[in-house]
Amino acid sequence: MLLDRRNECQILDRLVADIRAGESRALVIRGDAGIGKTQLLEYILGQAADCRTAHAAGIETERELAYGALHSVCAPMLDRLGRLPEPQQQALGAAFGLNAGRAPDRFMIGLAVLGLFGEVARDRPLLCVVDDAQWLDQASAQVLAFTARRLLAESVAMVFAVREGPERPEVPELAGLAELKVDGLPDDAARTLVASAYSGPIDDQVLKRIIAESHGNPLALLELPRGFTPMELAGGLGLSRIALPHRIEESFRRQIATLPPATRELLLVAAAEPVGDPVLVLRAADRLGIPADAATSPAATGLVEFATRVRFRHPLLRSAIYHAASPEQRRNVHRALAGVTDPVTDPDRRAWHLAEAASGPDEQIAAELERCAGRARDRGGLVAAATFFMRASELTPDPHRRGERALAAAQTKHRAGLAESATRLLAMAEACPLDECQRAQADLLRARIAFTMDRGSETPTLLLKAAAMLEPLDPRLARDTYLDAYRAAWFAAHLTNGTGVRDVAEAVRAAPQPESPRAADLLLDGLAVRYTDGYAAGAPIIKRALEAFGNPSLPADDGLRWLWFACTGALDLLADTPRDMLASRFLTLSRDAGALAMLPMALTIEAVMRTFAGDLAAAGALVHELDAVVEGTGIPELPYSAQFLAVWQGDVDRATALIAATTSESERRGEGAGLIAAGWMQALLYNSLGQYDQALIAAQQALEPRQELGLLTWAPTVELITAAARTDRPDVGADALGRLVELTQASGTDWALGLESCCRGLLEPDADAEGHYRQAIDHLGSTRIRTQLARAHLHYGEWLRRQNRRIDARTQLRTAHEMFTAMGIEAFGQLAERELKATGETVRKRRPETSNQLTAQEAQIARLVRDGLSNPEIAARLFLSPRTVEWHLRRIFAKLQITSRRQLWR
């Protein structure tokens, strides 16, 4: 019964009322073992009798079986699977072993579950309860937590119960969800509970001590008296100070110790069988020679129920029974369970039982566990696959094979994003006698782990070492690793500890060339020439590589892995058309493949390019989508695109905060590129505000590391020249222009030549400036880079006004002002407005657009509708359910006073 839980019950009552009203909720119930979490779950299930319910429970021995708990939740709903988009159907089917195919991304599975919940809740509200969430397998925990975070308007509630305590695993996936902390009962309620469970005499001092030391824990109050004799309770003997969970388990053990041997052995079988299948338990019991009537004996029925599922009186009882047995007893039970588990329908659980039954190395079991790891990996259960590999390694007699399997476990852990665990497994692998190829793979993994954790410092050196070792063993992997080394050195920039892009380039020039170069090989060779022979020498090769990446026959896997590099190469060359095409393709590939590990980079690149193009509304939608990805996946990403957008928008407070955050995180991660980008953003912001002295300082600081020519140099150089021209520092500007011209002439694109001409106009004497400005406008007018085109009109107009050519100045300044205002570029627009007013022009204020009534997410959804996307497509892109998209559309229609999607297209 529930005593003194009025507040908790009121919270749960409101939750059920909310989902009946069409809203969604997520709640985590936290408390110590035995505090009453399970009873609260039973209460809410009773209150939601008119709702559809789904159940799952984490089981300690099931933590290594990927998606086990998720399957328990979703299995009764799979008749709705056909209503989901095809990629989501495939992902969820692969996770549950319903169909074959490539390993699904776990967040694509999350989208599928979110959609499935929404479809089920169309009929009636859905309540999903998950008990003992601390024992969930990680794959299930990630997907269920992802789903809980994306709920909004589906009439779905998810309630998790988490057991707290120093010896219990944390559940980081649930961090940030609403919580309900359950504490112990007050003394009066505690006395009532003890009296209801124990009718014998209890000495009042003993009762006070039980209540005090149990801290009102209901399970302790119920179970502790059962662990002592009536004499001990009446006279106060036998009570000792033990931590509560241990004391409760000790009470259970004392009760178990009094049972007949056959009953104890049957309970051990039930505790070791994680599914709760009574048929399997009884078959294993029969194999062990346990009498059939042991399950119906009064001693057993008081502790465990054999019905459609085997259910213990409390989860701690299962733990107490299992850990009270000797290792040999546990091995015997697991051996019996393996013998009755179907090797065809349930091979993974059978293999795990065999592993638990093993008393020493066993190659046959290890090989079966390795096959289990492969199956788990195919389902996307990377953590489970790594655990199978690790256990296989432990059971492998041959030291060489042991190291190979430990290395596979480490590689799989890294792919799952668990860098620290991967590092520990890698150390285990390196303690074994690895061959040369395995040693090289171990070095490569160590370098990739380092790049994941901090991106700087030693990472380029480690990757360069791994690439050199791989050259005679796997030339293609070696070349891919050289590209990884380039990327690491690029991110580390001036913070690298010994290995920079030039060092990587020299190693590549000395390495053997492939017979049939791929697009990635062309890019690698172009970078090698660029960083050894100079920017001008490498530019033509890089251009050929970009053409190869633009080939429609480029394999999707190559595109996903290397298009980021191709996009940055195009940006280094100031090539807007191929860069724009490559960025769009990278984003499309990432979305279509559900490659959410790559999606943040793809969104960042596309958002930056849209901002350069002056399409700030589209860039804002992409940044909003990026925020949703980061929030939904937990994949960290520096806010490069967000700060770039905020600067161009003239949002000083937000831009300043984002630049500070980027600077701090870049310093922590050893990411020199982030520091340079932050300096560039700071200089751009100051220039837009007309604060040229500060802009000059910021640009000089960004250029101080003296990086090789590329984005990290030309972008802050443009801001440096602008600030130098406005602060009467022609010497500083001329030096910067010389460095810029080296790049722009080698590039030869309209974007590059337009920037060069504009910068020359800023620095040249008055007699020569006008021709440069006109050339700049001609070149930039042939590109998609409307932000720079507007700045060229602004600078030309400023020059004309200073020449007292007011009529001509008004034309250029009016064009600049209209362009900036149309793009939503506030600060630069105000500069143009001030210059116009100085010519005597009256500036008309623009009428606010009705789209300003919409929130950022509503504006993004409206834009996607205009792009022709369906509700399920919008939901997949924004990590929402289709029902939530429908809810947003109703709000959009009401705000804009329209009635159909078609009206959004106007």
Side-chain angles (χ1 to χ4, degrees), residues 409-456:
Q411 291 168 329
T412 310
K413 280 277 189 181
H414 176 248
R415 285 181 56 200
L418 302 173
E420 292 184 3
S421 298
T423 300
R424 289 193 295 270
L425 286 166
L426 181 58
M428 292 172 54
E430 290 176 326
C432 298
L434 302 176
D435 61 30
E436 190 176 3
C437 184
Q438 291 165 345
R439 185 68 60 185
Q441 290 178 339
D443 285 344
L444 175 58
L445 178 59
R446 187 171 298 283
R448 285 176 172 170
I449 292 171
F451 183 74
T452 300
M453 296 180 73
D454 61 24
R455 284 197 177 178

Side-chain angles (χ1 to χ4, degrees), residues 820-840:
F820 285 134
T821 305
M823 291 184 286
I825 298 175
E826 295 294 333
F828 277 115
Q830 289 171 8
L831 277 181
E833 181 178 339
R834 288 198 295 270
E835 288 287 327
L836 265 175
K837 288 179 178 179
T839 67

